[in-house]
Amino acid sequence: MNDSIIRYILGCVLKIEGALMLLPCLVALIYREGEGFCYLAVAAVCMVLGQMMSFHRPDNQVFYLKEGCIATSLSWILMSAAGAVPFLLTGEITSFVDAMFETVSGFTTTGASILNNVEALCHCSLFWRSFTHWIGGMGVLVFLLAIIPLSGGSHINLMRAESPGPSVGKLVPKVRYTARLLYLIYLALTVLEILLLLAGRMPLFDAITTSFGTAGTGGFGIKNDSLMGYSAYLQWVVTIFMVLFGVNFNAYYYLLYRKVKKALAMEEVRWYLIIILCATGIIWFELCKGGMQLAGALTHAAFQVASIITTTGFSTADFELWSQTSKTVLVLLMFIGACAGSTGGGIKVSRVVVLVKTVAKELNSYIHPKSIRKVKLDAKTVEHEVVRSINVYFATFMIVFTVSVVLVSLEGKGLVTNFTAVAATINNIGPGLELVGPTSNFSHFSNFSKCVLIFDMLAGRLELFPLLILFHPAVWKEMRDQRHAPRRWFGEAKYSRRAPR
């Protein structure tokens, strides 16, 4: 276990978070808010601690998937804990569990909140809440790889541990350039959305924070009614960009380099768009049947479908009042999620497609026992190892989901509330149904249930296994054994102070 590189990465993450926390200070300066000093103090502490942890760059910078998963999980936990401190210092959130819930929800792009009155927050806190979505959307470690050169050829493991989806590869030969390319696409789409929102006469602060929430598919709004009070044009702009940020970023890479055929050949993206169109059509029909006008029904249906399947969580209507059919469709979309390689959460469309094709393959083997049929995606054979990992992921997902529902149900709340609360957090969506619907929040849960939901948010964002590996006894045993192991220089054994003599 290369624990020195893990410590170095944690230090770099703290320095990056401290630097990014200066932006809320700038917002506080513009709006003349004293709360900015709280953010400035935390930023300074983060940068000092980060510098102390990363002052000495390890000689051995090579790490494997195990170290990548551990570094990723600890980075997200440390980043969330540090990001929660300003809420406590400003007094806007008085409980550490609540502050941690709000911050984890921000960084994991979940959008679930414990705040009853969002508009009571100062501008710098509103900015920080939305900015955590933008930071967490692409991933802080992807940003780390983009700006800090690390030697060794195994750093794709760090990207794979953090990036959502069944598999992550290099778009270009070097991982560092891949990370930069992803962030350039991410930044360009964000700026384009801000400009289009400004064209619709949305205030600059609203446009920036809304774009941060859309880009990270997070859903933190700066209004108590989310986006209900904005015009239809602005709602359609957000709808389109929610769908765009839910697309696999490989498609944008192909389009950027004029490989249009490859972009159009991506089967996952086609199914993603088909699911959106079908779900929108069903809900549109249900809303029209309920007496809503055609144009308004289409706007609400398209917005809510895009918001749920991309796991953004914005809302323009209280869908808790919609028909049972509409709510059922939305709950199903919660689990399907967006594309792999996007900023969206959920199980991912590619996993669902492979699972369906695997079931079809098994059924075919019952009918034609001697036939040999392979699972294919994008006209390429899906390797057995990939199919196995997807099956294991789905089984693990169901186990974590079931245990979480049981633990949350100990409070005695209704089944729909408990079920959708866990579904909304583990899939990084935000709103659920009944007591956690779009007009409610998670403040009524106990601290124990909030801790369970915090775990679910982190597990869902990190694709389960990077977080679960922290609970494996072998990991801590290996780290303990390494700490007590003899150190060698020039072939001569030297023992640490704790080593037995």
Side-chain angles (χ1 to χ4, degrees), residues 331 334-335 401 405 414-426 429-437 442:
V331 171
M334 288 182 183
F335 289 93
F401 182 85
V405 171
L415 175 61
V416 175
T417 296
N418 297 330
F419 185 91
T420 56
V422 174
T425 50
I426 198 171
I429 295 167
L433 297 175
E434 290 192 354
L435 296 181
V436 291
F442 290 72

Side-chain angles (χ1 to χ4, degrees), residues 100-113 132-133 220 457:
M100 191 70 175
F101 185 98
E102 196 77 10
T103 311
V104 169
S105 179
F107 279 121
T108 59
T109 71
T110 303
S113 179
T132 55
H133 281 332
F220 273 156
M457 287 188 282

Side-chain angles (χ1 to χ4, degrees), residues 423-449:
T425 50
I426 198 171
N427 291 310
N428 305 132
I429 295 167
L433 297 175
E434 290 192 354
L435 296 181
V436 291
T439 58
S440 304
N441 56 49
F442 290 72
S443 61
H444 50 76
F445 282 104
S446 67
N447 285 341
F448 173 76
S449 295

